[in-house]
């Protein structure tokens, strides 16, 4: 049987595949007795597996990659998106899904989406090879259904995972008119391969009254030094509305060591969700609860993940380990927990998405508790968020949970030092980040106006203030509004023209990266490549720009 990684008793799941101590003792006794064969008439018949290879039987619809994709023998990891040729011409409710990799030696994982805006089709038509790629610029679509890209995730697959089957009465509702998009991550094996993977849908045969949703919490705050055999991260999500948790799936790569997820209910009681003490990347399971777990509003979900980056870790792909950070490739690492749930009140969905997103800014080592807000504000007086040190400072602020206190201290500091543009940019950026979690449109507009006013005030003090221009452009780029995004393109281009007249600082490369990524998200691959190549002329050693150009 496949190895069962979850610790027995820490959460209760369907199809638990672990042996009880009594079963282990019986097997041990049988071995000690010489493995003698029992009576032939007591022999259990061999299990019968479906001839077509689908564990749940013949699917109602098979979504197959329209063309085979040739995977080279060597090189960097590849993220490729494939648009299924047959559109969803009628509404449907999916109650189970399964995935069959075309070549398991190279398929690292799969995510599937429904696209209602035709973005994937348009980008596919611009690429000469089967499918298209936006690797390194972030996912092509939202994983949690939030945002305005008119697309949302269906489900995924990782090595060791079986079919995804929802409890009776649960399903995914999909309106008519969309197209299925399969995102496949290929990890090259040293041998050329050809992949044509398939995604299977099983439709509801009985009434469904609970429609599921999903999200992911995690952190990108990873810097795992070589030799560190117990590097730990802790992140959490506040639950803003009642949800019924259907399943859970922690995710790391090769040097993952352990993963524990626990909920704290409003009364302070602890509710175990899943605990994996010996992580194995090759056997990742989707843990479906025997009964959906109700988490009332006011609960909190905490996750503790650890990593072993030592040479003694047999799963470490490197004999001489180097520093490992967050990244898309298999040699990088991730620290995530995927969850499928049903919102008791669907009107609260946006609040849930926002809180899940906020988890990515609340992370650190479990014992990192010291945070001096006053000292942070003093550092902000001279440090921008776009340097590596500044980005870490931003992470520290969110990890502390004291964003509001820092903003209040910035208010006081700006009153006494009104000519300090850095303080204005810092306050504007923290206010702007609050818009990611805001679901009330009126409040969102108020926060956006305040952030914009701070950026403009900084530029009035210093019209060449690089961080002010960069932060304002990035804020507009994330507005998910074409008018603001076009203005962001203009500002980025103006910023680049200006910075090229001066000595190039290392973090200036981020202007080329941000502009290229924005263009690529809208299918302007040639323009994006030109921007990244232009950046490389000034920053030839920048690995991010090099990776973008190669892709």
């Amino acid at each position: 049987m496949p190895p069962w990684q979850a610790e027995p008793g820490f959460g209760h799941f369907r199809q638990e595949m672990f042996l009880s101590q009594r079963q282990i003792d019986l097997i041990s006794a049988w071995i000690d007795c010489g493995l003698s064969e029992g009576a032939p008439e007591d022999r259990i018949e061999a299990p019968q597996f479906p001839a077509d290879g689908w564990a749940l039987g013949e699917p109602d619809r098979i979504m197959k990659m329209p063309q085979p994709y040739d995977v080279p023998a060597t090189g960097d990891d590849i993220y490729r998106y494939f648009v299924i040729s047959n559109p969803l011409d009628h509404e449907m409710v999916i109650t189970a899904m399964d995935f069959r990799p075309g070549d398991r030696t190279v398929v690292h994982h799969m995510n599937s989406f429904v696209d209602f805006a035709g973005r994937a089709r348009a980008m596919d038509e611009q690429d000469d090879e089967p499918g298209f790629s936006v690797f390194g610029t972030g996912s092509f679509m939202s994983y949690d259904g939030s945002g305005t890209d008119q697309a949302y995730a269906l489900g995924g697959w990782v090595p060791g995972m079986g079919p995804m089957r929802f409890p009776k009465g649960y399903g995914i509702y999909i309106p008519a008119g969309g197209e299925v998009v399969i995102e496949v991550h290929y990890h090259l094996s040293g041998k050329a391969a050809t992949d044509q993977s398939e995604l299977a849908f099983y439709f509801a045969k009985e009434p469904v009254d609970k429609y599921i949703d999903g999200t992911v919490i995690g952190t990108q705050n990873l810097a795992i030094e070589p030799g560190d055999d117990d590097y730990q991260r802790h992140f959490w999500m506040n639950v803003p509305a009642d949800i019924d948790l259907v399943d859970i799936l922690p995710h790391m790569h090769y040097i993952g060591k352990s993963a524990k997820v626990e909920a704290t209910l409003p009364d302070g009681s602890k509710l175990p969700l899943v605990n994996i003490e010996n992580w194995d990347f090759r056997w990742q399971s989707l843990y479906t609860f025997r009964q959906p777990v109700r988490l009332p509003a006011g609960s909190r979900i905490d996750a503790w993940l650890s990593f072993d980056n030592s040479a003694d870790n047999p799963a470490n792909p490197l004999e001489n380990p180097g520093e490992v950070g967050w990244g898309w490739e298999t040699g990088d690492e991730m620290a995530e927990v995927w969850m499928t749930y049903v919102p008791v009140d669907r009107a609260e969905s946006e609040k849930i998405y926002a809180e899940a997103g906020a988890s990515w800014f609340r992370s650190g080592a479990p014992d990192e508790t010291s945070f001096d807000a006053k000292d942070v504000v003093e550092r902000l007086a001279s440090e921008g968020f776009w340097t590596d040190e500044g980005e870490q400072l931003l992470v520290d602020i969110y990890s502390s949970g004291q964003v509001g206190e820092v903003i209040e201290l910035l208010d006081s500091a700006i009153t006494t030092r009104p000519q300090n543009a850095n303080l204005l940019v810092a306050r504007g950026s923290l206010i702007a980040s609050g818009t990611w979690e805001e679901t009330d449109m009126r409040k969102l507009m108020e926060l956006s106006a305040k952030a914009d006013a701070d950026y403009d005030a900084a530029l009035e003090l210093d019209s060449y203030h690089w961080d002010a221009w960069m932060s304002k452009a990035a804020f507009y780029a994330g507005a998910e509004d074409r008018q603001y995004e076009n203005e962001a393109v203009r500002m980025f281009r103006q910023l680049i023209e200006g910075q090229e007249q001066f000595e190039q600082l290392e973090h200036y490369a981020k202007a080329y990266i941000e502009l290229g990524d924005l263009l690529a998200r809208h299918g302007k691959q040639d323009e994006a490549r030109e921007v990244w190549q232009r950046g490389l002329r000034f920053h030839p050693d920048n690995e991010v720009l090099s990776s973008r150009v190669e892709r």
Side-chain angles (χ1 to χ4, degrees), residues 110-178:
M110 178 279 302
N111 286 310
S112 58
F113 306 84
V114 181
D115 177 17
F116 293 98
R119 291 175 57 218
R121 176 69 58 192
M123 296 181 75
D124 191 7
E125 291 173 351
Q126 297 181 33
D127 198 305
D128 294 334
E129 297 183 34
F132 63 93
S133 179
V134 293
F135 177 61
T137 65
S139 173
F140 168 65
M141 298 177 184
S142 297
Y143 284 100
D144 60 7
S146 61
T148 58
D149 55 11
Q150 294 182 282
Y152 58 82
L154 291 175
W157 175 91
V158 289
M161 181 175 166
M164 178 187 294
R165 179 161 49 183
F166 307 122
K168 185 176 181 180
Y170 288 72
I172 303 176
Y173 171 75
I174 305 178

Side-chain angles (χ1 to χ4, degrees), residues 476-477 481-493 515 518-519 522 524:
Y476 279 25
D481 180 286
R482 186 53 64 91
Q483 180 179 349
Y484 283 104
E485 289 174 332
N486 289 340
E487 180 63 12
V489 170
R490 185 194 68 78
M491 285 191 287
F492 277 130
R493 291 193 183 281
L515 174 56
L518 178 56
L519 294 169
H522 291 287
K524 298 179 180 180

Side-chain angles (χ1 to χ4, degrees), residues 107-292:
V107 176
H108 171 286
H109 78 251
M110 178 279 302
N111 286 310
S112 58
F113 306 84
V114 181
D115 177 17
F116 293 98
R119 291 175 57 218
R121 176 69 58 192
M123 296 181 75
D124 191 7
E125 291 173 351
Q126 297 181 33
D127 198 305
D128 294 334
E129 297 183 34
F132 63 93
S133 179
V134 293
F135 177 61
T137 65
S139 173
F140 168 65
M141 298 177 184
S142 297
Y143 284 100
D144 60 7
S146 61
T148 58
D149 55 11
Q150 294 182 282
Y152 58 82
L154 291 175
W157 175 91
V158 289
M161 181 175 166
M164 178 187 294
R165 179 161 49 183
F166 307 122
K168 185 176 181 180
Y170 288 72
I172 303 176
Y173 171 75
I174 305 178
E179 290 186 294
V180 172
V181 182
I182 300 176
E183 172 201 79
V184 184
H185 174 185
Y186 296 108
H187 180 57
L188 282 55
S189 66
K191 181 179 179 181
T194 300
D195 178 61
Q196 193 170 14
S197 296
E198 300 173 289
L199 178 66
F201 288 166
Y202 298 83
F203 300 143
K205 307 299 190 298
E206 299 177 0
V208 168
D209 59 1
K210 297 183 186 300
Y211 297 105
I212 71 166
D213 212 328
T215 194
V216 56
I217 64 175
T219 180
Q220 294 182 9
N221 180 17
L222 300 176
I224 312 171
E225 295 291 338
D228 191 339
D229 62 359
D230 193 27
Y231 180 87
Q232 300 186 34
R233 293 288 92 177
H234 171 221
F235 50 88
W236 68 92
M237 170 189 174
N238 295 319
V239 180
D242 294 357
I243 63 173
D244 289 327
L245 200 59
V246 177
D247 58 50
I248 192 165
L249 171 64
H251 178 67
M252 297 177 284
H253 291 175
Y254 283 117
I255 66 171
K257 180 179 178 181
S258 67
K260 177 182 176 182
V261 188
E262 181 180 74
T264 302
L265 302 182
D267 63 5
S269 60
K270 304 294 184 181
L271 184 63
L273 297 179
V274 67
N275 184 24
I276 300 171
E277 293 187 357
N278 295 292
W279 172 263
D280 188 335
F281 173 80
R282 301 164 300 175
W283 292 104
Q284 300 176 64
S285 296
L286 179 69
Y287 298 99
T288 303
F289 297 102
R290 291 181 191 173
Q291 297 294 331

Side-chain angles (χ1 to χ4, degrees), residues 194-489:
T194 300
D195 178 61
Q196 193 170 14
S197 296
E198 300 173 289
L199 178 66
F201 288 166
Y202 298 83
F203 300 143
K205 307 299 190 298
E206 299 177 0
V208 168
D209 59 1
K210 297 183 186 300
Y211 297 105
I212 71 166
D213 212 328
T215 194
V216 56
I217 64 175
T219 180
Q220 294 182 9
N221 180 17
L222 300 176
I224 312 171
E225 295 291 338
D228 191 339
D229 62 359
D230 193 27
Y231 180 87
Q232 300 186 34
R233 293 288 92 177
H234 171 221
F235 50 88
W236 68 92
M237 170 189 174
N238 295 319
V239 180
D242 294 357
I243 63 173
D244 289 327
L245 200 59
V246 177
D247 58 50
I248 192 165
L249 171 64
H251 178 67
M252 297 177 284
H253 291 175
Y254 283 117
I255 66 171
K257 180 179 178 181
S258 67
K260 177 182 176 182
V261 188
E262 181 180 74
T264 302
L265 302 182
D267 63 5
S269 60
K270 304 294 184 181
L271 184 63
L273 297 179
V274 67
N275 184 24
I276 300 171
E277 293 187 357
N278 295 292
W279 172 263
D280 188 335
F281 173 80
R282 301 164 300 175
W283 292 104
Q284 300 176 64
S285 296
L286 179 69
Y287 298 99
T288 303
F289 297 102
R290 291 181 191 173
Q291 297 294 331
V293 176
R294 171 64 59 89
L295 296 181
S299 300
R300 171 170 146 158
I301 301 171
D302 285 85
W304 296 268
L305 278 62
S306 69
F307 302 82
D308 180 354
N309 192 25
S310 70
D312 294 332
N313 179 3
N316 197 328
L318 298 177
E319 292 183 7
N320 298 307
E323 181 175 321
V324 178
W326 184 93
W328 294 94
E329 299 203 22
T330 308
D332 301 318
E333 266 303 336
M334 290 186 173
E336 302 176 353
V337 176
W338 292 73
M339 296 178 290
T340 300
Y341 63 90
V342 173
V344 175
D345 181 354
R346 297 204 68 83
E348 304 282 2
S349 293
E350 289 296 331
K351 290 182 180 179
I352 299 169
Y353 299 150
E355 281 297 332
S359 75
W360 293 83
F361 296 95
R362 302 184 186 124
S363 65
D367 58 353
E368 288 179 356
T369 56
S370 60
F371 180 82
D372 188 335
K374 292 183 179 179
D375 178 65
V376 166
V377 169
E378 286 304 312
R379 291 175 60 189
L380 290 173
S382 58
E383 183 73 72
F385 284 139
W386 289 93
T387 63
D388 290 344
E389 296 79 6
E391 287 185 357
Q392 183 58 52
L393 190 58
L394 182 62
V395 170
D396 292 343
I397 293 171
Y398 272 96
S399 299
S400 72
Q402 299 181 44
V403 179
E405 182 178 345
V406 173
I407 291 177
E408 290 179 2
L409 289 171
L410 283 169
D411 291 342
S412 299
I414 290 169
T415 300
T416 58
R417 287 178 277 182
Q419 300 303 309
N420 190 308
N422 288 335
L423 293 172
L424 287 163
V425 174
R427 185 175 67 179
S429 297
L430 291 175
I431 292 173
S433 63
T435 63
W436 306 339
E437 306 172 26
E438 185 53 65
T439 58
D440 184 290
M441 185 57 65
R442 182 183 60 81
K443 293 181 180 178
L444 188 149
M445 296 301 294
E446 289 178 357
L447 290 173
S448 298
K450 288 181 179 179
D452 218 7
D454 274 345
Y455 295 142
D456 288 343
L459 290 170
E460 287 181 10
L461 293 172
D462 180 1
S463 59
Y464 295 99
H465 197 287
W466 190 89
D467 279 90
W469 279 114
M470 188 69 180
S471 299
K472 184 180 176 75
F475 181 43
Y476 279 25
E480 296 185 340
D481 180 286
R482 186 53 64 91
Q483 180 179 349
Y484 283 104
E485 289 174 332
N486 289 340
E487 180 63 12
V489 170

